[in-house]
Amino acid sequence: MFSVELIPDAATDAAVRAEWGRLIEAGLPSAGRHEGESNRPHVTLAVREALDPAALAPISALLPVPLELGGTLVFGREGRFVLARAVVMTRKLLDLHRAVAFAAGAAGPRYGNTMPDRWSPHVTLARRLDADGLAHALSVLELRAVDGAAVGLRVWDAGNKRVTTLR
C-alpha cells in the first residue's frame, strides 16, 4: 500500500504535535505515540495498492497551498472511533488533490474515499478510541483554528516502510 501525503509547515506541524501531546498526557490514544521516524502530521491525498512516486513529482510544483485546520471530525465503526482535525477545503487544495488522484490512477474499492468528490481531508489526532475515550479526548483538546500552509509532498510505501520525499 502506498499513500500520498501532504506535509504542513513547521507552525502547523507544531500545533498538531501539541494536540497529540495533550492526548498522551491525558492517557489517551494519540497519533503521537507512534515513534517511528516517518510519523508526522500529514493530510492523506491518495491511497493505492501500487504507485510510481515519479509520476507525482511534477505535482509538487503546485505547492505551497494554504492549509487551514478547522474543527474535529470523527470517523467510527463498531464502537471504535478516529478523531481528526478537519482541513478546510479551498480551490487550490481541491486542484492539488485532483492532480494527485489523476496521477495516482484509479483507486480500488478499499481506497475509494480518497477519490475526488469522496475525499474528507483531515489530520489524524487519535485512533481506536471508544465512546468514553472520545468524550475525554474532546474535553482535553484546546482546538483553535490553525492557518498555515502545506509545503511538502511525500509518498509512504507501507510494504517497504520507506518515505519518498517529492518536496
Side-chain angles (χ1 to χ4, degrees):
M1 183 211 54
F2 295 83
S3 61
V4 183
E5 301 170 348
L6 200 52
I7 304 302
D9 60 45
T12 304
D13 183 278
V16 172
R17 288 179 190 275
E19 292 170 356
W20 288 356
R22 281 193 276 289
L23 294 170
I24 291 169
E25 288 170 10
L28 292 163
S30 169
R33 289 189 187 279
H34 181 311
E35 296 178 1
E37 186 179 318
S38 64
N39 186 44
R40 64 180 300 174
H42 65 275
V43 178
T44 300
L45 296 167
V47 180
R48 302 294 187 269
E49 287 297 329
L51 185 71
D52 176 11
L56 298 164
I59 294 168
S60 65
L62 298 174
L63 296 174
V65 298
L67 188 66
E68 180 183 348
L69 302 185
T72 58
L73 286 175
V74 177
F75 302 101
R77 183 185 302 198
E78 300 173 6
R80 292 286 181 209
F81 302 95
V82 173
L83 178 61
R85 289 293 301 270
V87 172
V88 177
M89 264 325 165
T90 64
R91 172 55 46 202
K92 287 184 177 183
L93 184 60
L94 281 171
D95 289 346
L96 177 72
H97 178 254
R98 287 186 184 281
V100 166
F102 179 77
R110 185 172 174 195
Y111 306 119
N113 62 342
T114 66
M115 292 301 290
D117 302 324
R118 298 191 64 205
W119 179 56
S120 296
H122 64 277
V123 176
T124 300
L125 299 178
R127 300 178 190 282
R128 294 181 289 284
L129 291 160
D130 61 18
D132 290 338
L134 177 61
H136 188 197
L138 290 170
S139 75
V140 301
L141 291 172
E142 300 171 10
L143 300 175
R144 294 180 183 91
V146 177
D147 290 316
V151 296
L153 188 66
R154 72 181 192 171
V155 174
W156 167 244
D157 175 350
N160 294 309
K161 306 223 180 298
R162 183 179 15 189
V163 170
T164 301
T165 301
L166 302 172
R167 176 172 178 170

